[in-house]
Amino acid sequence: MKNSHLIVIPARNEEACLGQTLTELLAVLPSHCRIAVGLNACNDGSRSICEGFPVFIGETGVPGYGHGCLAGIEAAAQNGYEPESYVFYAADGANRPQDALKLISEFDKSDGDCRFIMGLRKFSLKTWQQEFGRSLPNLILGTVCFFLGGEFFHDLAPLRLIEARLFREMELREKVWGWTIEAQLRAAQLGVKIQTVSVVERERTAGEQKVSGVSPLRSLKIGLKIAAAGFRTRFGNVSREQKESAS
């Protein structure tokens, strides 16, 4: 659908904050945008929360960020909604609706030239724990992206917009820790320029943190898994047909 956009919200046990996130988004989203929530391995009341809102609901028993994203996308498709782009958005309230709208506006005014837009967060200097838990690992992973893909970003930027056709061409395989880094490296392999927009990250509104802001040891383990996914992506094969269709 021309100029239509799907906000994709992967969620795993986010009952405590999902309702507020959806309420906030729906208050400002224009009519050409819809929301799909992808519930992955949830064992709380997240589905009941979603059923109270006009959103597509996808569900999978497999844990993992990418599995949740795909569940949401597939739910929209099964209901006949085929958007021009996907905007990946946090269930925990860390993203601001106005920042999602900034990415959509950038895409709409580009007339198809911006196919991949990342919302880059600023460094957080509140505490050493938070800095180590997010910014430092992202700097290291940004360096990994530079060596593997030739382009440096200080952030893996989970708030991002990817054109639907490009998303299909990427054929993403890393559905747990490597979902974000694989997309960035795949874009480089396909010769697609990544645009960036400055955004603000907020504290999660409720629930438990799963990636950033956790213990230094856990951050290190997650970082190594993400880096490993980057290496798998870099040295995997991209067909000539994929490159031609992305150009």
Side-chain angles (χ1 to χ4, degrees), residues 140-161:
I140 295 170
L141 292 169
T143 304
V144 171
C145 279
F146 174 74
F147 284 112
L148 295 179
E151 193 166 4
F152 176 81
F153 296 102
H154 72 262
D155 190 4
L156 291 187
L159 176 59
R160 53 181 57 191
L161 179 152

Side-chain angles (χ1 to χ4, degrees), residues 111-136:
D111 197 26
D113 290 334
C114 293
R115 305 184 66 195
F116 192 141
I117 307 171
M118 295 200 313
L120 292 188
R121 302 169 290 190
K122 296 180 180 179
F123 287 121
S124 170
L125 297 175
K126 290 181 180 179
T127 67
W128 180 87
Q129 173 76 1
Q130 288 175 329
E131 177 67 10
F132 186 91
R134 177 177 69 80
S135 298
L136 184 56

Side-chain angles (χ1 to χ4, degrees), residues 81-96:
Y81 191 74
E82 298 288 348
E84 194 173 7
S85 82
Y86 301 116
V87 179
F88 298 95
Y89 194 90
D92 61 10
N95 296 147
R96 303 187 307 172

